[in-house]
Amino acid sequence: MQPAPLQVKRKMKKFLSESSRVITKFYLPGGEERIGHIIARVLGLSEEEVRQNLKQVMVDFAARHKDIRQVFKRHFTKIKEYLPEGLELSEERICLLGAFFTHEYSIQAAAFFNPSIIMHPDQSYIKEKSLRFILSFRSTGEGHISSIEFRSGIFDEKNEFRFDDVSRFVETPKVIKNPTYDKYVFQLKFADMEAMNDVAREILQDLPAKFSFLELEAAIRKKTHVWLEEPVPWLNETVEKMLWLARSNYHLKFRGDRRISERVIFPVSENESRGIEDARFVRFCDTNGEVTYYATYTAYNGFDVLPMLLETKDFVSFTIRTLNGKAVQDKGMALFPRKINGRYMMISRQDGENIFIMSSDNIHFWQEAEILQGPKYPWEFIQIGNCGSPIETEAGWILLTHGVGAMRKYCIGAYLLDLQDPTRIIGHLTEPLLSPTEEEREGYVPNVLYTCGAIIHNDELIIPYAMSDTSSGIAIVSVPDLLARLSEA
C-alpha cells in the first residue's frame, strides 16, 4: 500500500514574464560601409535638426531607462573609430549618434523561470522569526538568450510572503575591463585545457603573481614581437586560448543605489553569448565563518556548454570564473553550503542520466566524481538530476531532484544524504514531491516542473519552482513531515 502523498501547499503568487522589462544594448549594423552611411546622415543634420530628433528620442525612451543619455554617450565611444579624426561634436550630436547605435532588448519576452532562493545578506530591521530573501530567475528573451534576474522580499513567522516592489527599470552592470588574475590559478586552468606549451610558459614567466588583463596583453605583445621574426609553432592558437580564458573570467559591478530588481546579469563573454542558464545560488559559510554567495550556472554559446561559477558578497559586485577539471562536465552542478571533512562538495550530472557527487580541495578545480544515484522509479527512468544545493538539517542533507519519465514529464523528488558522508543515501521519496498540475503542465516546454534551489524557514521547506519553462510559483512542505517520509524509505 502506497503512503498518502505529502501535503504540499502551493502559494497563489505567480511570477509571470513581462515583455516590458527591457535593457539597452549596443547595436552595430553589419558592414563598415553601412555604419559609415548612418554616421554621415547624422553628421549631415543641422544643429537644430539634431536637437529636435534627440528630443523625440528622449520623449520615446527616457521614461523607460535611467540615465539614457549616459547610455548614448557610452555607445558613441564604441563607434568613434568610424568618425573622421579631429571632428568636434556637440553633446546633443554625440547623444543622437549613440542613439542610432542603441536598441532595446526584452529580457523576459519568452520566459521567466527556473528560480532559486537564498537568505539575503542584509537581515537588519526585520521582526523575530522573519527572513529577508533573494530569489534568482532565469529570464529568456528574443533568440532564446538567457540572463539572471533577482527579486527580494520577507517571510514572516508564518511564512507569509511580502515581496519588495519591482522597479520599472532594469539595467546591466559595468564590466570591469581590467580584472586581476591569480597566476597560479591561471596556469592550472590553462594546463587543464591541455593548452600549456613553451609559448604559454614564456608569456607567463614574466607576469607577476597577480596580473591584470592589460599586463597579459603587454606580455603577449612583447613575446610575439620577437617571435614574428622567427615563426613559432602554435603561437596564434596559444595566444587565442590565453585571451579566451582571460575574457571568460571577469568582474561585474552594479551601481549600489539600484534596487536588486533593477539588476540583470546578461551574457558578457564569448562562451555564454547565447545564454546564462539555470543559476543555482547557495549561501556558502567557510570554516572561518566568512559567508560568500556562489552560483553555478551553464554558459552556452549556441554549440557548447561550459560550467561556470559566480561569486558575490553583496549582489552588487560579482566575479565570474570558469570551473575546471576532468569532473566538470555536462549541466546542473550544485555546491554544498559548507565544506565537509575539510573539502568542498558538489552534486553534478556527468553523463546526462545519473546524479554524481564530487569533492575537491579547490573550489575551481574538480577532478573526482562518483555516481550517487541512477534512475530508479518509472517517473525518473529517463534521467535524474539535482534541483539546487543540498539543504542541511540535523537529520541529514535534503537533496531535491528532478526526474524525467514517460512523455518527458519532469517531476521534483527528494533524497536524504548522510550529514558527515553525503555519498551515503539515508532515504528517498518513492513518489514525486511535486508533479505538474493541469494548469502547470501547459507552456513553452510542456509537463515540466523544475527548481534551482529551495530554503528552510520556520520548519518549512520553501520551494520556488518553474512551470513548463514559462512562469514560476512557490510551494511549501513541512520539513518534519518530509524527513519522516524520507526516513521511512
Side-chain angles (χ1 to χ4, degrees):
M1 180 178 176
Q2 290 285 346
L6 280 165
Q7 184 179 2
V8 178
K9 297 179 288 184
R10 283 169 160 86
K11 292 289 188 177
M12 294 293 292
K13 173 72 176 178
K14 295 292 184 289
F15 301 90
L16 307 174
S17 60
E18 297 179 29
S19 57
S20 61
R21 292 187 65 76
V22 292
I23 60 173
T24 57
K25 291 182 63 183
F26 180 58
Y27 171 63
L28 196 64
E32 188 173 334
E33 184 178 359
R34 187 179 175 192
I35 295 168
H37 290 163
I38 297 169
I39 291 173
R41 291 168 190 141
V42 178
L43 294 180
L45 297 174
S46 68
E47 283 299 322
E48 179 58 29
E49 289 173 320
V50 166
R51 280 192 291 271
Q52 290 302 317
N53 278 274
L54 181 60
K55 180 180 178 181
Q56 187 59 51
V57 170
M58 296 300 291
V59 168
D60 292 340
F61 294 97
R64 294 165 65 87
H65 305 277
K66 290 184 175 179
D67 301 326
I68 189 70
R69 290 177 73 99
Q70 292 302 316
V71 173
F72 295 155
K73 290 177 182 177
R74 187 166 65 247
H75 289 176
F76 168 79
T77 63
K78 296 185 177 183
I79 54 103
K80 280 183 70 174
E81 62 183 281
Y82 299 99
L83 272 71
E85 289 188 17
L87 191 65
E88 292 189 9
L89 301 174
S90 65
E91 181 177 335
E92 286 80 6
R93 198 178 296 269
I94 287 172
C95 288
L96 186 60
L97 276 165
F100 275 97
F101 293 93
T102 301
H103 74 121
E104 288 187 328
Y105 180 87
S106 178
I107 54 176
Q108 40 173 277
F112 190 56
F113 64 122
N114 289 5
S116 74
I117 188 168
I118 58 278
M119 180 192 298
H120 198 295
D122 180 9
Q123 293 297 315
S124 60
Y125 304 110
I126 59 173
K127 294 180 179 178
E128 187 179 355
K129 293 188 177 181
S130 295
L131 181 79
R132 183 174 288 115
F133 62 87
I134 292 175
L135 279 163
S136 70
F137 290 89
R138 176 179 169 186
S139 293
T140 304
E142 177 190 352
H144 205 76
I145 298 174
S146 297
S147 54
I148 302 172
E149 273 199 86
F150 302 102
R151 299 290 182 269
S152 58
I154 292 175
F155 308 131
D156 66 14
E157 69 279 2
K158 297 180 180 179
N159 277 341
E160 295 298 327
F161 297 81
R162 191 188 80 228
F163 288 94
D164 297 329
D165 292 338
V166 178
S167 173
R168 166 67 182 84
F169 303 102
V170 68
E171 59 187 41
T172 54
K174 179 182 179 182
V175 180
I176 308 301
K177 294 183 178 180
N178 192 30
T180 300
Y181 305 97
D182 183 290
K183 182 176 177 177
Y184 175 70
V185 173
F186 193 92
Q187 287 173 320
L188 288 177
K189 287 176 179 282
F190 206 64
D192 189 69
M193 293 166 58
E194 298 183 352
M196 187 61 75
N197 54 34
D198 290 341
V199 172
R201 290 187 189 93
E202 286 205 40
I203 292 171
L204 289 167
Q205 71 179 3
D206 292 337
L207 290 169
K210 301 284 186 181
F211 64 90
S212 68
F213 186 81
L214 294 179
E215 286 174 319
L216 174 62
E217 286 187 313
I220 290 172
R221 283 195 302 269
K222 178 182 175 181
K223 293 296 184 182
T224 53
H225 179 73
V226 175
W227 287 328
L228 285 175
E229 298 175 3
E230 185 176 337
V232 175
W234 313 112
L235 174 60
N236 291 336
E237 181 181 344
T238 301
V239 168
E240 286 177 8
K241 286 182 177 179
M242 294 187 86
L243 293 175
W244 177 89
L245 178 60
R247 292 189 183 107
S248 299
N249 294 261
Y250 57 92
H251 303 294
L252 303 173
K253 186 163 187 177
F254 290 94
R255 289 184 51 169
D257 60 349
R258 299 303 196 234
R259 290 191 237 170
I260 197 163
S261 63
E262 295 180 357
R263 305 169 197 168
V264 57
I265 299 177
F266 198 79
V268 170
S269 69
E270 295 173 10
N271 60 45
E272 62 192 24
S273 58
R274 302 304 298 173
I276 295 172
E277 300 184 354
D278 301 342
R280 288 158 160 79
F281 277 86
V282 63
R283 181 181 182 270
F284 186 89
C285 188
D286 213 336
T287 50
N288 61 3
E290 184 179 1
V291 172
T292 304
Y293 292 86
Y294 292 107
T296 53
Y297 71 86
T298 303
Y300 182 57
N301 64 6
F303 303 98
D304 303 304
V305 297
L306 181 67
M308 303 288 289
L309 185 70
L310 175 153
E311 176 184 338
T312 184
K313 297 281 190 183
D314 54 11
F315 288 83
V316 175
S317 298
F318 295 82
T319 300
I320 314 294
R321 295 189 177 99
T322 52
L323 282 169
N324 296 80
K326 64 183 180 182
V328 175
Q329 300 178 37
D330 212 314
K331 296 183 175 183
M333 298 186 174
L335 188 68
F336 279 73
R338 63 172 175 84
K339 288 181 180 178
I340 301 172
N341 300 320
R343 291 174 68 83
Y344 296 99
M345 302 287 290
M346 185 121 74
I347 301 293
S348 68
R349 193 176 67 209
Q350 303 282 305
D351 56 7
E353 184 177 6
N354 303 291
I355 293 179
F356 284 70
I357 188 165
M358 310 192 296
S359 67
S360 176
D361 57 6
N362 187 316
I363 197 170
H364 303 291
F365 294 89
W366 301 83
Q367 307 293 349
E368 305 170 9
E370 60 180 281
I371 289 182
L372 179 66
Q373 181 65 47
K376 186 174 183 179
Y377 302 103
W379 53 276
E380 59 184 19
F381 270 0
I382 292 178
Q383 69 187 51
I384 57 173
N386 73 73
C387 272
S389 293
I391 303 165
E392 187 169 7
T393 71
E394 291 183 359
W397 299 97
I398 295 175
L399 174 64
L400 294 182
T401 64
H402 63 268
V404 185
M407 294 296 292
R408 201 171 175 264
K409 179 181 176 181
Y410 276 68
C411 299
I412 296 174
Y415 283 75
L416 187 64
L417 310 180
D418 185 83
L419 210 55
Q420 299 304 319
D421 179 13
T423 64
R424 189 171 76 87
I425 296 174
I426 298 174
H428 51 80
L429 297 183
T430 58
E431 295 292 332
L433 179 63
L434 279 169
S435 297
T437 64
E438 282 301 309
E439 178 188 3
E440 294 168 344
R441 69 184 301 184
E442 307 296 352
Y444 183 62
V445 182
N447 308 304
V448 173
L449 285 194
Y450 198 90
T451 181
C452 287
I455 194 172
I456 290 176
H457 182 56
N458 291 340
D459 263 350
E460 289 187 315
L461 182 63
I462 299 163
I463 310 169
Y465 66 98
M467 298 170 277
S468 300
D469 280 18
T470 301
S471 57
S472 300
I474 295 175
I476 294 180
V477 63
S478 163
V479 172
D481 289 352
L482 176 59
L483 290 174
R485 184 63 55 86
L486 287 167
S487 299
E488 292 172 3

